[in-house]
Amino acid sequence: MNGRPAKHSVTLKGHRTSISLEEDFWQALRAIAARQDKPINALVAEIDVARGTGMGLASAIRVYVLRDLQAQITTNAPKKTT
């Protein structure tokens, strides 16, 4: 695992912007986009709109990836029997 952020460019609202994220987050974001059958630019644009003004885009992407993983864990968790 490489903890150093890597810059990647995406297009938001017709403009190129760079986002710095750790490679593990880039890989997870690509996997989410593929699972949702959408381009990574479209997914990042959705995250951008949903984040509001109180959070930076890189942080919003990290939170999005975390919440997606949490949802998968909850969905796939074994059911408790009593």
Side-chain angles (χ1 to χ4, degrees):
M1 173 168 56
N2 182 356
R4 300 191 77 157
K7 280 190 178 187
H8 292 268
S9 293
V10 296
T11 302
L12 296 175
K13 300 174 188 165
H15 300 284
R16 299 290 285 168
T17 188
S18 293
I19 304 169
S20 293
L21 290 173
E22 295 76 12
E23 191 57 38
D24 291 336
F25 281 102
W26 282 118
Q27 289 176 11
L29 189 63
R30 284 186 201 101
I32 294 167
R35 192 177 72 239
Q36 293 181 8
D37 195 29
K38 63 179 70 168
I40 196 162
N41 283 337
L43 180 57
V44 172
E46 290 174 15
I47 295 168
D48 184 42
V49 168
R51 73 182 167 107
T53 58
M55 181 183 293
L57 182 55
S59 294
I61 291 170
R62 287 184 188 97
V63 169
Y64 184 90
V65 168
L66 174 64
R67 288 183 180 159
D68 181 80
L69 176 60
Q70 289 171 326
Q72 288 183 51
I73 290 169
T74 300
T75 300
N76 296 325
K79 304 293 184 218
K80 291 184 180 180
T81 57
T82 54

